[in-house]
Amino acid sequence: MTPTLQLFLVISAALFSIGLLAALSRRHAIFILIGIEMMLAAANLNFVAFWRFGPQTQPPIGVMIAIFSIAIAAAEAAVGLALVIAVYRHYRTTNVDHLNQLKG
Amino acid sequence: MSSAAVVIIAILTLAAALAAATLQKLMHATLSFAVALVGVAGLFFLLGAEFVGLVLVFVYIGAVAVLIVFTILLTRRDVGKERAANWGGAFLAVAVFGGLTWAILKTQSVAVVAPHIRLVTVKRIGEALMTSYVWPLQCVGLLLTAALIGALVLVMEEKP
Amino acid sequence: MSKWVDQIFVYTKHWLLTWLTAAPGWIIQTVSSLINIFALLGVFLTLFAVMSVLERKILGRIQNRYGPNRVGPFGLLQPVADGIKMLIKEDIVPARADKLVHFMAPILIAAAAILALGVIPYGRNMTPFTIDGGILFFFAVGSTTELAVFMAGWGSNNKFSMLGAMRAIAQMISYELPLIITVLPVVMVVGSLTPDRIVAAQAEYTFGFVPRWFVFTPWGTTAFILFFVSGLVESNRTPFDVPEGESEIVAGHMTEYSGFKYATFFMAEYIGMFAITGLAATLFLGGWHSPVSALEFVPSYVWFFAKLSALLFVYIWLRGTLPRTRIDQIMNFAWKFILPMSFTCVIAAAVWHYAGRGLRGWLWSLVVIAIVYTALSMLLDTQRKFAPRVYRFAE
């Protein structure tokens, strides 16, 4: 039995929702970053799955977009973690609930 | 590509991802996140995109996970208690998953079987990167340089 | 006859698989993979045992003493004694350690080291695991080691372990960059990430006697030396063994491990060393090709393992003669010298290609490397004068 596109889409939807759960329900900045990375991985899975099941194209668009998005995710993680360290130096915490100085 | 392999890898991936989202200790969550990404790379292998899977392992395990681990160590004195479970976020996540699954299962046009064996060779990816994707490639290079410099500036010690 | 000897292992495997012709396809595939895995493990675990005793004997020779010579003839059964000792030791897990992480770290580190061996061509038609992006696979698997080392250091809940792990990760990240960039010129010139193609591209002989190995071009020599030094750092060997410097931090990330877990770490370190040297031989030393066309009747795997042993001997030799470097020296060396030089290798390879891959290209790429090398050494010269060393006896 060979799997259909639906199976991959459901897997990726589940991964996305778990990432969303991590990003919304945790208070620690690093957890939120992990959640965002998981959502990005789910999106990549979708791109590759659509490329595999869709019509043949030259160049392989889905694969190319996945590669670019991985590169951009790496840059995002670097900047995000640098921000976490900078915030920690300033406030001595990484709990996003305590970062409310701009609140009126 | 058989369904059994896909389902087994998917269950492992999702279990590790759920562990990453719910475990209390940051370090355990990071390690489960790494396991989940290995699972996603395995799915890429099954889909015939070996190169993307390898790049994913290389970038995420070799760079991002190590970076997260270093950040955890640098901010270690921060052992603040996590607040009790945030049910709003959980509810929203379940709702999103339900909605997406409903939409996917309703759409008949995605209930297709893969056409035939299709492998993307490294050579073809390289050719695409150097011909039709040259400008995106240059932009990503610029972005990575900017991110590198930006991250350095952000964490540089401020001179009093 | 010589072809038969050359392909004996391939034929044996085919013969073993003929017993299964009636079985469904996936069983044949699984059995074929299992044969590869067991052959790989058998060869490299034996090599590990032999290497561990030979290293101690050679170190003994270098330091003007005997080395192990009590167990068996010439002390050759020493690894068996060591193995039994390791097996019957008590397995201690610190009370405050993170049990799961502490347990997983040696498994992960050994698995990564063994997986990396799978893509190296050991002889004609003897690549255990053929994959399109073999070189990328090697480095992707290798990058898992960093996380495993970290798990060992963090899971032990010990400050020496943590310090050792931090040092190990710092130097591994710094040297992984040049390690990958020095592979780039070879990949560029061959136009493929598959190790088999890279070996095939080094098959011919220039003027009929100089093998067309990449180490005989200026960029190849430079890249080979840089790759070798980076590999030395990656496998945490002297003179770069700061992560487990015995006199400073007990045993680094392995401090809290005992018994068989410690042996697993030890084995992973050696197997990682075999993988790096094997890749160096594949990329720059022509893989399993013979150096002289008259000696092509010697089986291909003999040549591969001869090259591997020669490189491993250099590892032992360096360990016996060089003192340990300081961590800041290692870092400065990586970022200020090795990284610019490895980028220069890429440029020199491009120059070599566009100048026609002949003598002209050879000279031009030599000029590029010489200019950058001179400029870098003038820039990095500290102009520091050392006071004359005076030996004084206690009065």
Side-chain angles (χ1 to χ4, degrees):
Chain A
M1 202 187 96
T2 52
T4 59
L5 179 54
Q6 272 179 335
L7 180 59
F8 283 98
L9 294 187
V10 170
I11 293 169
S12 135
L15 193 61
F16 182 86
S17 310
I18 293 173
L20 198 65
L21 173 73
L24 287 182
S25 65
R26 307 307 290 258
R27 287 286 148 261
H28 203 293
I30 297 172
F31 271 121
I32 296 175
L33 202 81
I34 289 179
I36 294 172
E37 295 290 340
M38 278 198 282
M39 290 196 269
L40 268 170
N44 285 341
L45 186 57
N46 257 9
F47 276 122
V48 175
F50 275 116
W51 161 78
R52 178 71 176 80
F53 288 87
Q56 181 105 42
T57 52
Q58 188 56 253
I61 298 171
V63 171
M64 302 309 293
I65 292 181
I67 290 172
F68 280 117
S69 100
I70 289 173
I72 291 169
E76 176 242 322
V79 176
L81 291 170
L83 270 175
V84 170
I85 292 178
V87 165
Y88 176 76
R89 284 220 184 110
H90 222 80
Y91 295 103
R92 292 280 141 197
T93 181
T94 49
N95 190 327
V96 287
D97 274 354
H98 298 165
L99 308 175
N100 50 7
Q101 297 232 320
L102 280 181
K103 223 179 199 172
Chain B
M1 178 167 63
S2 75
S3 276
V6 174
V7 169
I8 291 170
I9 292 183
I11 289 173
L12 288 177
T13 310
L14 294 178
L18 207 59
T22 52
L23 281 178
Q24 278 302 312
K25 268 195 184 163
L26 256 179
M27 198 65 74
H28 291 171
T30 310
L31 296 176
S32 333
F33 168 68
V35 174
L37 283 166
V38 172
V40 174
L43 287 176
F44 283 163
F45 266 72
L46 285 179
L47 282 167
E50 290 172 358
F51 188 76
V52 188
L54 290 176
V55 168
L56 192 85
V57 172
F58 195 40
V59 170
Y60 274 96
I61 313 284
V64 174
V66 175
L67 212 59
I68 292 179
V69 153
F70 263 89
T71 314
I72 293 172
L73 287 182
L74 286 174
T75 60
R76 195 149 67 145
R77 254 174 295 167
D78 179 40
V79 280
K81 274 270 157 258
E82 280 268 322
R83 217 175 45 193
N86 182 342
W87 293 109
F91 174 75
L92 200 61
V94 170
V96 166
F97 177 63
L100 281 174
T101 314
W102 179 78
I104 291 164
L105 295 181
K106 267 290 195 194
T107 315
Q108 284 308 309
S109 58
V110 296
V112 289
V113 177
H116 44 84
I117 297 296
R118 183 186 295 171
L119 266 172
V120 58
T121 56
V122 179
K123 199 177 180 67
R124 194 173 317 151
I125 292 177
E127 275 164 5
L129 275 180
M130 283 298 145
T131 52
S132 36
Y133 287 87
V134 161
W135 282 110
L137 186 70
Q138 300 290 335
C139 292
V140 166
L142 192 67
L143 178 85
L144 285 174
T145 317
L148 186 73
I149 296 170
L152 274 178
V153 170
L154 270 177
V155 294
M156 215 168 308
E157 294 281 356
E158 287 164 31
K159 290 270 151 51
Chain C
M1 179 61 196
S2 80
K3 181 173 180 291
W4 195 82
V5 177
D6 189 32
Q7 295 292 298
I8 183 161
F9 296 112
V10 181
Y11 289 153
T12 315
K13 189 183 152 191
H14 281 304
W15 177 74
L16 281 174
L17 286 180
T18 50
W19 294 59
L20 286 170
T21 34
W26 63 274
I27 289 186
I28 295 185
Q29 258 185 356
T30 315
V31 171
S32 159
S33 313
L34 280 178
I35 292 174
N36 286 348
I37 291 167
F38 280 113
L40 205 64
L41 281 182
V43 168
F44 278 97
L45 290 184
T46 317
L47 194 62
F48 162 57
V50 173
M51 170 92 180
S52 70
V53 65
L54 277 187
E55 171 163 26
R56 290 165 67 180
K57 284 200 93 81
I58 294 172
L59 279 182
R61 283 286 153 211
I62 291 174
Q63 293 161 356
N64 206 4
R65 58 188 168 83
Y66 293 111
N69 62 353
R70 281 290 166 265
V71 193
F74 306 107
L76 280 178
L77 290 179
Q78 185 69 35
V80 181
D82 282 345
I84 293 172
K85 186 195 88 173
M86 285 293 188
L87 265 176
I88 59 177
K89 262 189 172 181
E90 186 189 353
D91 177 31
I92 301 168
V93 181
R96 299 287 299 278
D98 195 318
K99 300 284 184 306
L100 186 67
V101 176
H102 187 267
F103 175 73
M104 288 303 287
I107 298 177
L108 187 61
I109 205 166
I114 292 168
L115 269 177
L117 284 174
V119 290
I120 297 170
Y122 296 104
R124 201 171 275 121
N125 304 327
M126 279 168 63
T127 313
F129 177 39
T130 319
I131 181 174
D132 198 26
I135 304 286
L136 191 64
F137 179 88
F138 186 94
F139 289 117
V141 167
S143 68
T144 320
T145 316
E146 283 155 27
L147 210 57
V149 166
F150 182 83
M151 281 164 71
W154 187 80
S156 305
N157 205 354
N158 174 328
K159 54 183 170 296
F160 289 128
S161 301
M162 200 61 239
L163 272 176
M166 294 305 263
R167 285 183 180 189
I169 296 176
Q171 80 174 40
M172 276 162 115
I173 289 182
S174 309
Y175 278 88
E176 200 164 287
L177 230 59
L179 197 71
I180 293 166
I181 292 168
T182 46
V183 173
L184 269 187
V186 175
V187 172
M188 252 165 57
V189 164
V190 178
S192 173
L193 275 171
T194 320
D196 291 310
R197 293 265 190 83
I198 292 173
V199 173
Q202 308 180 54
E204 303 289 313
Y205 298 90
T206 332
F207 314 126
F209 65 94
V210 183
R212 206 168 279 173
W213 300 351
F214 291 132
V215 77
F216 291 124
T217 53
W219 58 268
T221 317
T222 322
F224 175 66
I225 295 170
L226 295 176
F227 186 91
F228 192 80
V229 172
S230 308
L232 211 61
V233 183
E234 283 288 304
S235 45
N236 291 342
R237 294 278 299 184
T238 336
F240 303 106
D241 64 342
V242 193
E244 46 194 273
E246 295 88 350
S247 47
E248 300 164 25
I249 47 172
V250 195
H253 56 274
M254 304 187 275
T255 306
E256 291 292 358
Y257 286 91
S258 56
F260 207 64
K261 285 181 191 160
Y262 183 79
T264 313
F265 269 108
F266 200 61
M267 186 191 81
E269 196 180 312
Y270 274 79
I271 288 188
M273 209 161 89
F274 299 151
I276 285 275
T277 40
L279 193 69
T282 305
L283 288 172
F284 299 105
L285 301 180
W288 41 261
H289 286 299
S290 66
V292 190
S293 53
L295 285 175
E296 262 171 359
F297 66 90
V298 180
S300 50
Y301 44 86
V302 173
W303 283 120
F304 180 84
F305 281 100
K307 288 168 190 173
L308 191 73
S309 320
L311 288 179
L312 288 176
F313 174 72
V314 180
Y315 268 64
I316 300 173
W317 185 13
L318 288 178
R319 178 173 171 189
T321 41
L322 291 181
R324 186 182 300 146
T325 42
R326 280 198 329 254
I327 186 91
D328 61 318
Q329 290 170 333
I330 297 179
M331 290 300 161
N332 276 337
F333 188 54
W335 295 101
K336 290 186 184 160
F337 180 75
I338 290 208
L339 197 61
M341 277 314 285
S342 36
F343 278 119
T344 313
C345 284
V346 178
I347 296 168
V351 168
W352 180 77
H353 175 76
Y354 284 109
R357 297 196 175 205
L359 191 64
R360 209 155 63 88
W362 203 90
L363 289 175
W364 273 116
S365 63
L366 186 65
V367 167
V368 170
I369 287 174
I371 289 174
V372 176
Y373 179 78
T374 324
L376 266 181
S377 34
M378 276 158 78
L379 269 176
L380 297 179
D381 190 5
T382 49
Q383 306 279 346
R384 202 182 293 154
K385 296 278 186 293
F386 294 101
R389 185 175 283 178
V390 188
Y391 293 99
R392 261 173 302 200
F393 295 101
E395 307 261 336

